[in-house]
Amino acid sequence: MRKTNFEVRKEQLIAEVKHPFSILYLSDFHFNGGSREVAMWMIERVNELDPDIILLGGDYVDTRKGLKELAFFLGGISGRKNVFAIAGNHDYFFGIDKIEKLFLNKGVVWIENDFLDIQLKEMQIRLNGSQLSENSNSSNFSILCVHNPKVLNGDLTSYDIAFGGHLHGSQFVFWKNEKGLYPGRFFYNWNVLSRRKEDCICLISKGLGDTLPVRYNCKKDVIFVEVVPS
């Protein structure tokens, strides 16, 4: 594995919160039997960045051996608080019951098609997984975690930040500008790195793995966000 093919995309969001905190979004693992080095790189980044919230965005395994590598990764971050996961389309193809069971056994909170309120640094944080729902007015900060960014076409007025994956940056990037990554942007409206919609900042990961392992000018990534008080 060439580590130059991976990057940590760091963002900062100024928000009406009492205390600073951080979020790490990892998506589109597509683990197979040869994914150990990728899993180790991910564990290293989690330990290095030490986020307050970890969001896992779906498409975890492509093969049975990949399930073992997923277990290795989850074991490597076990004991951490506030780790949440949703499903991707590949997880339903592979077997959603197996995926969910593994996450629960490893202490990860499964929020697929659900929402949850957590207390963090004297703040109430609302987490929504995979679909839009009405948020609590008592929340200090609202996060939407989806796999397919087409969900973000809906009403995002209740959210401060949203994360998506699925598109892999279309794996080939010949040029990019403020409108997105091309040529994939011609086919997928959300083939972007970031976009503000209503008052919500939307961040789209290029993913950590591919079923067809070919990329050009499209680094695999994780997204690390520091939320700071206004």
Side-chain angles (χ1 to χ4, degrees), residues 82-95:
N82 299 324
V83 183
F84 307 93
I86 61 170
N89 53 300
H90 278 252
D91 304 315
Y92 285 98
F93 299 150
F94 182 83

Side-chain angles (χ1 to χ4, degrees), residues 17 19-26 45-47 49-57 73 77 80-86 108-109 111 116-121 123-128 140-145 160-161 163 222-227:
V17 294
H19 306 284
F21 65 97
S22 57
I23 308 166
L24 182 65
Y25 177 80
L26 308 93
R45 298 293 77 71
V46 169
N47 292 333
L49 297 167
D50 193 26
D52 295 298
I53 296 173
I54 297 176
L55 301 175
L56 307 177
F73 166 71
I77 64 170
R80 300 193 68 92
K81 296 181 179 180
N82 299 324
V83 183
F84 307 93
I86 61 170
V108 177
V109 182
I111 58 170
L116 184 69
D117 291 316
I118 64 170
Q119 293 295 320
L120 179 68
K121 299 182 179 181
M123 300 176 292
Q124 180 168 299
I125 309 295
R126 167 63 62 94
L127 298 166
N128 277 91
N140 301 112
F141 193 85
S142 295
I143 303 170
L144 176 62
C145 178
D160 296 288
I161 194 168
F163 296 90
V222 297
I223 302 175
F224 180 69
V225 179
E226 293 179 295
V227 181

Side-chain angles (χ1 to χ4, degrees), residues 14-211:
I14 300 173
E16 295 182 5
V17 294
K18 295 180 180 179
H19 306 284
F21 65 97
S22 57
I23 308 166
L24 182 65
Y25 177 80
L26 308 93
S27 188
D28 298 275
F29 302 2
H30 291 279
F31 280 165
N32 55 46
S35 298
R36 180 57 58 94
E37 285 189 279
V38 179
M40 291 177 65
W41 183 89
M42 292 162 60
I43 293 169
E44 290 172 359
R45 298 293 77 71
V46 169
N47 292 333
E48 172 190 292
L49 297 167
D50 193 26
D52 295 298
I53 296 173
I54 297 176
L55 301 175
L56 307 177
D59 277 7
Y60 303 107
V61 298
D62 281 353
T63 67
R64 289 185 180 181
K65 291 183 178 180
L67 194 64
K68 180 179 179 181
E69 299 309 319
L70 177 60
F72 172 81
F73 166 71
L74 295 176
I77 64 170
S78 64
R80 300 193 68 92
K81 296 181 179 180
N82 299 324
V83 183
F84 307 93
I86 61 170
N89 53 300
H90 278 252
D91 304 315
Y92 285 98
F93 299 150
F94 182 83
I96 192 64
D97 293 339
K98 294 178 183 178
I99 298 293
E100 182 179 358
K101 182 179 179 181
L102 177 59
F103 277 112
L104 295 177
N105 287 342
K106 295 294 185 178
V108 177
V109 182
W110 189 251
I111 58 170
E112 170 74 354
N113 295 321
D114 204 354
F115 68 90
L116 184 69
D117 291 316
I118 64 170
Q119 293 295 320
L120 179 68
K121 299 182 179 181
E122 303 177 348
M123 300 176 292
Q124 180 168 299
I125 309 295
R126 167 63 62 94
L127 298 166
N128 277 91
S130 298
Q131 64 180 7
L132 301 171
S133 66
E134 185 175 343
N135 284 322
S136 168
N137 291 330
S138 61
S139 297
N140 301 112
F141 193 85
S142 295
I143 303 170
L144 176 62
C145 178
V146 306
H147 179 68
N148 191 331
K150 71 179 183 179
V151 177
L152 306 181
N153 291 327
D155 183 1
L156 300 182
T157 53
S158 297
Y159 299 96
D160 296 288
I161 194 168
F163 296 90
H166 183 58
L167 298 177
H168 300 235
S170 292
Q171 297 183 214
F172 290 83
V173 177
F174 297 145
W175 76 95
K176 60 183 178 180
N177 57 34
E178 68 280 358
K179 293 183 179 180
L181 308 176
Y182 292 85
R185 176 65 174 76
F186 289 130
F187 307 99
Y188 303 105
N189 181 48
W190 282 98
N191 200 57
V192 301
L193 297 177
S194 66
R195 177 182 297 169
R196 182 168 291 276
K197 187 170 181 284
E198 286 98 34
D199 290 327
C200 178
I201 182 68
C202 303
L203 300 172
I204 311 301
S205 170
K206 300 190 299 297
L208 287 155
D210 311 297
T211 300

